[in-house]
Amino acid sequence: MKDTLNSTDFEQSAHTIQAKRVHFTYLKTIVDQQLIQREVLHRIQAADAELDDLLAIQRLIPLEKINVSSDVGEIVQRLIRGSVYVQLEPDFHEGLLIDVADLQRGYRSNNEADNEYSVIGPKAGFVEDLDTNLNLLRKELLTEHLRFEAYSKGSLSQTRVIIAFIDGICNPEHVDTVRQRIEDAEFDVVFDSSIIDQVISDNANSPFPLFMSTERVDRAKFSLLSGQVAVLSSGSPYVITGPTTVFDFFASPEDYYLPWILASFFRCIRYFGVAFSILASPFYVAVLTFHYSVIPQPLLGPIIESRANVPFPPIIEVLLLEITVDMLREAGARLPTKVGQTLGIVGGVVLGTAAVQAGLTSNILIIVVSLSALSSFATPNFKMANTIRFLRFPFIALAAAWGGLGITIGFLLLIGHLLRLKSLGTPYLVPLFPFRIRNYADSFIRSSFSLTSNRPLYLRPLKLHRYKVPKPKERNDDYNRE
């Protein structure tokens, strides 16, 4: 049994009652341990009758769904669904299966994924309690191959850290890498899983996130089923998963709940939004500083009129407005929700109008920066969204120095940096580089489920095939023949 359910939450205990040893086996993250103590163990200990056999124990327990079983397959399936297995020495070939699943734990009214909201799909998110998070994963993945490995990190906090993976799917090399990096890391206090993210990262000096950070249960479940490793820590509602590629940060869980054509369209919009968010302001600076000739003649008049009273060069104008927008965003994020929304709307309108009237910026730049800020919100992952916000400023500086050539240099440096990045030894730009044509089905677009039945090859999963989609059959209705 222990070999089959080789996980940290697998619990075995024995109690001496009436000179006989009673053994209890269960998964502590999925059962109600108070129910075990109150309705099972306490009633056995308080029994006056002799505990001659399992039927005598069964008569003492006032619970439903109790049966005697010796089938290992049935026992394993009942354990991962929240049962406790009770055995009486010396008869170990069979035991009592008692349903004590904790059905209420994990799903509460206040654990929705606020930062990864989705209109379609499950709304359940992780919380700060680690046992609750493990319970959520156990309920969603009813397999005996789900493994939890526990570690205690932090000399002062003794924070519980869990490595989760599916044995038989996840590549053992990825698990060994994560295990070794966590064991080698030394902390005094682990405040959040994001600290572990940075410590076990392949390149801590990169602004790009190398591990996916999510508070959604369905996203963590999808990552585990794909063959990735997940890391959870107590006190943190976020789960980090890896290895990841840059394309994973632009895929939303909602993509898989919509028809593939719509999902692909929305994913392409996100990529366009990222490109626009990074390059819109630098192009404005480059054109107005070095490349007047590329401005169409009908647009030249409005631009000259808009900038006639602006005393600053384009670089100062853009930086002033970009920093103002980021300050509004930071202020709105740290205020209560209603106040933050009001500040963002009123502050943007008032400051934008005042800046134009005062001659500090042009009307066209207001439009460009506003669209650029709006485009950055299209990224479904907040860590990648922060990276995109940061990348605008180096590109603006290069555009002010060398114009279009500077933007080209920045783009080449960005590609070179991405080519060097790895996540748990996996190239960050795969399937673009190294080229993996079979993984393109779920990268730039989300293809139909019939084309994504295999797990990503770059994860090197032990089990490649994921599911089977039957081909649609031709309809032969009788009335069509008439």
Side-chain angles (χ1 to χ4, degrees):
M1 190 78 65
K2 178 64 176 175
D3 296 334
T4 304
L5 294 171
N6 185 17
S7 184
T8 302
D9 60 336
F10 181 80
E11 189 75 17
Q12 286 183 309
S13 61
H15 301 269
T16 302
I17 304 173
Q18 296 183 8
K20 293 186 179 182
R21 298 283 285 176
V22 182
H23 294 258
F24 295 81
T25 303
Y26 55 90
L27 292 169
K28 59 184 179 182
T29 56
I30 198 71
V31 301
D32 187 341
Q33 297 188 53
Q34 293 184 358
L35 187 62
I36 295 177
Q37 295 288 336
R38 184 178 65 251
E39 300 296 345
V40 181
L41 180 58
H42 176 71
R43 291 185 179 274
I44 295 175
Q45 291 174 336
D48 296 330
E50 292 291 332
L51 303 179
D52 297 326
D53 53 18
L54 293 174
L55 295 178
I57 297 177
Q58 182 177 359
R59 286 192 292 267
L60 296 172
I61 302 172
L63 296 176
E64 298 180 354
K65 298 182 180 179
I66 304 177
N67 64 289
V68 179
S69 178
S70 59
D71 182 16
V72 176
E74 181 187 3
I75 295 170
V76 170
Q77 289 300 314
R78 288 285 298 274
L79 286 177
I80 63 178
R81 283 171 169 80
S83 293
V84 59
Y85 189 54
V86 181
Q87 295 172 292
L88 186 64
E89 280 192 16
D91 186 11
F92 286 108
H93 75 280
E94 63 180 4
L96 282 179
L97 281 170
I98 307 171
D99 186 7
V100 288
D102 193 347
L103 300 178
Q104 301 300 322
R105 186 178 181 181
Y107 295 100
R108 303 197 305 271
S109 59
N110 61 343
N111 67 331
E112 292 187 3
D114 295 331
N115 295 324
E116 296 179 83
Y117 184 77
S118 177
V119 178
I120 304 175
K123 303 296 187 295
F126 293 108
V127 295
E128 285 77 9
D129 182 63
L130 181 60
D131 291 328
T132 299
N133 296 337
L134 299 180
N135 179 277
L136 289 169
L137 288 178
R138 279 287 181 196
K139 286 180 178 179
E140 295 293 327
L141 296 171
L142 295 176
T143 172
E144 66 271 21
H145 301 295
L146 179 60
R147 301 285 187 260
F148 295 146
E149 293 185 6
Y151 298 87
S152 179
K153 304 303 296 185
S155 58
L156 299 179
S157 63
Q158 295 296 311
T159 304
R160 293 168 58 202
V161 177
I162 298 290
I163 298 177
F165 62 95
I166 298 181
D167 191 21
I169 294 180
C170 182
N171 193 303
E173 293 183 6
H174 296 153
V175 181
D176 293 338
T177 302
V178 174
R179 185 185 296 126
Q180 179 182 358
R181 292 180 183 180
I182 290 180
E183 290 176 349
D184 294 342
E186 295 183 2
F187 306 93
D188 52 357
V189 176
V190 180
F191 293 98
D192 190 80
S193 59
S194 299
I195 296 178
I196 301 175
D197 180 349
Q198 299 175 56
V199 171
I200 68 175
S201 174
D202 295 58
N203 187 346
N205 298 319
S206 174
F208 287 89
L210 300 180
F211 287 90
M212 178 67 68
S213 182
T214 181
E215 60 178 342
R216 292 184 59 129
V217 177
D218 58 341
R219 187 157 203 162
K221 178 174 66 172
F222 178 80
S223 299
L224 290 171
L225 291 172
S226 297
Q228 295 178 324
V229 186
V231 179
L232 306 87
S233 67
S234 58
S236 175
Y238 287 93
V239 175
I240 60 174
T241 61
T244 57
T245 69
V246 68
F247 301 103
D248 293 335
F249 294 93
F250 300 101
S252 170
E254 198 170 15
D255 293 347
Y256 302 94
Y257 306 136
L258 294 172
W260 73 269
I261 296 178
L262 296 178
S264 300
F265 172 72
F266 294 139
R267 190 174 292 186
C268 291
I269 287 180
R270 293 187 201 116
Y271 288 118
F272 173 78
V274 169
F276 186 88
S277 179
I278 295 176
L279 299 176
S281 296
F283 269 119
Y284 177 88
V285 174
V287 168
L288 293 187
T289 306
F290 295 97
H291 311 293
Y292 293 103
S293 58
V294 302
I295 303 176
Q297 187 173 2
L299 189 60
L300 191 60
I303 292 178
I304 294 175
E305 183 180 352
S306 177
R307 283 190 47 80
N309 298 322
V310 178
F312 304 117
I315 176 64
I316 302 298
E317 181 188 8
V318 169
L319 287 178
L320 180 65
L321 204 55
E322 287 282 2
I323 292 174
T324 302
V325 170
D326 278 342
M327 288 176 62
L328 280 172
R329 184 182 299 182
E330 285 297 308
R334 277 147 185 80
L335 288 172
T337 305
K338 295 182 179 179
V339 179
Q341 292 176 352
T342 304
L343 176 67
I345 297 172
V346 176
V349 173
V350 172
L351 289 178
T353 304
V356 172
Q357 292 178 351
L360 299 178
T361 184
S362 63
N363 291 323
I364 294 179
L365 182 60
I366 290 285
I367 298 174
V368 170
V369 172
S370 299
L371 291 176
S372 178
L374 186 63
S375 300
S376 66
F377 288 112
T379 308
N381 184 269
F382 69 95
K383 285 190 174 182
M384 183 59 74
N386 291 336
T387 300
I388 293 168
R389 289 168 57 188
F390 165 76
L391 288 177
R392 284 203 297 265
F393 293 95
F395 273 92
I396 290 172
L398 290 170
W402 298 297
L405 177 62
I407 295 176
T408 304
I409 293 173
F411 179 75
L412 293 177
L413 291 175
L414 178 61
I415 294 297
H417 177 69
L418 292 174
L419 288 172
R420 294 183 56 197
L421 289 181
K422 291 184 178 181
S423 175
L424 295 182
T426 301
Y428 199 53
L429 283 183
V430 69
L432 191 63
F433 179 85
F435 184 73
R436 298 286 187 270
I437 191 170
R438 283 195 248 175
N439 288 139
Y440 273 88
D442 194 11
S443 55
F444 290 102
I445 63 172
R446 201 280 280 178
S447 301
S448 64
F449 284 116
S450 61
L451 299 178
T452 59
S453 58
N454 290 334
R455 293 180 173 87
L457 293 175
Y458 65 85
L459 293 175
R460 294 175 292 163
L462 301 183
K463 186 178 179 181
L464 182 62
H465 196 65
R466 186 162 44 181
Y467 54 80
K468 181 180 179 181
V469 177
K471 296 182 179 180
K473 299 180 180 179
E474 294 183 1
R475 296 181 60 183
N476 294 318
D477 297 332
D478 294 336
Y479 64 85
N480 287 333
R481 298 175 183 176
E482 297 178 357

